[in-house]
Amino acid sequence: ILLCGTGIGVSIAANKVKGAYAACIHDVYQAQRAELSNNANIITMGSQIIGINLAKELVKEYLSCTFDTHSRSMPKVQRIINYENDLISA
């Protein structure tokens, strides 16, 4: 879980690390979809965008979700992983 003013800067920085999949979230739906549709292993939030109570709720929601490798989102996630691996090996 990473925080900065908007959540965007730390998301960009985190996504530079191989194997890091950061999603910037600011509402419950994004918190759910970060994991369920995108298999994000990092969430980022903006301290100037949301308050502490919402941040706690979003963390709780994100942690309650589990990515299903048999979901219809898996091919998309696999394409992202393959793209990353192609960049590394090039």
Side-chain angles (χ1 to χ4, degrees):
I1 300 166
L2 302 174
L3 302 169
C4 72
T6 63
I8 298 169
V10 291
S11 182
I12 291 169
N15 283 315
K16 300 294 182 187
V17 176
K18 183 181 181 339
Y21 303 106
C24 187
I25 63 169
H26 292 117
D27 63 46
V28 171
Y29 185 73
Q30 289 176 319
Q32 294 167 342
R33 299 328 300 176
E35 180 61 23
L36 296 174
S37 294
N38 297 286
N39 200 22
N41 54 12
I42 299 169
I43 54 170
T44 71
M45 294 176 275
S47 63
Q48 297 172 352
I49 309 296
I50 61 172
I52 188 71
N53 290 334
L54 179 55
K56 288 177 183 179
E57 181 182 352
L58 298 181
V59 169
K60 182 179 174 183
E61 195 64 40
Y62 168 75
L63 293 175
S64 75
C65 297
T66 303
F67 182 71
D68 178 3
T69 58
H70 300 291
S71 72
R72 63 187 181 114
S73 295
M74 186 59 207
K76 171 191 68 177
V77 170
Q78 189 61 56
R79 284 192 303 274
I80 294 167
I81 293 167
N82 292 346
Y83 178 77
E84 177 185 44
N85 289 334
D86 288 346
L87 287 176
I88 301 297
S89 64

